[in-house]
Each structure stands twice: as structure tokens, then as C-alpha cells.
Amino acid sequence: MDVLVFATSVEKPWQVSRVKPLLTAVPAINGWNFDLEDCDNILRIEAKDVSPRYIETLLKTAGFECRELE
């Protein structure tokens, strides 16, 4: 199981609701959460065999910035 961490432009709970169907539709994602209190609006994903680029593209198609953090 990998933990992927991203900085995003998701800032509000209604925006999380907009992203939720995209993330829950990916069977390889076992869990995810946003930390909207963090200055980078962190998205953490627990998944197996999911490319960080795939997650970045997924959020970008929904209109949000997303970049993997080291």
C-alpha cells in the first residue's frame, strides 16, 4: 500500500464534494482525505499501483491544481 501526498487548490468542503466521486470511482484507492487546514490543502491517498500523475490529471480535469509532494 502506498501513501501519496499532494498539494491542491481544493479549499472548501463543497469542492471536496466535487472531487469525491472521482476518487471513489478508482478501485485501487483504499482511502483518501483532504487537510484543508494545511496551507497546501493536502490530499492524502492510500492506494495500490496508482500513478501520482494519474491523480494529478484526475483533479486537473475537475478544475483543480494538484501536484505531488516529496
Side-chain angles (χ1 to χ4, degrees), residues 32-67:
W32 58 272
N33 65 62
F34 279 93
D35 181 355
L36 301 181
E37 299 296 318
D38 186 274
C39 64
D40 287 324
N41 301 309
I42 297 294
L43 167 61
R44 286 182 188 83
I45 294 179
E46 292 179 25
K48 183 174 172 119
D49 298 325
V50 173
S51 162
R53 302 304 150 251
Y54 176 74
I55 301 299
E56 290 171 349
T57 301
L58 196 63
L59 263 70
K60 286 180 184 178
T61 60
F64 298 103
E65 292 298 316
C66 179
R67 67 177 168 80

Side-chain angles (χ1 to χ4, degrees), residues 11-38:
E11 298 177 340
K12 306 285 183 197
W14 69 267
Q15 293 172 320
V16 173
S17 296
R18 202 166 127 200
V19 172
K20 181 179 180 177
L22 301 174
L23 297 173
T24 57
V26 180
I29 295 177
N30 294 336
W32 58 272
N33 65 62
F34 279 93
D35 181 355
L36 301 181
E37 299 296 318
D38 186 274

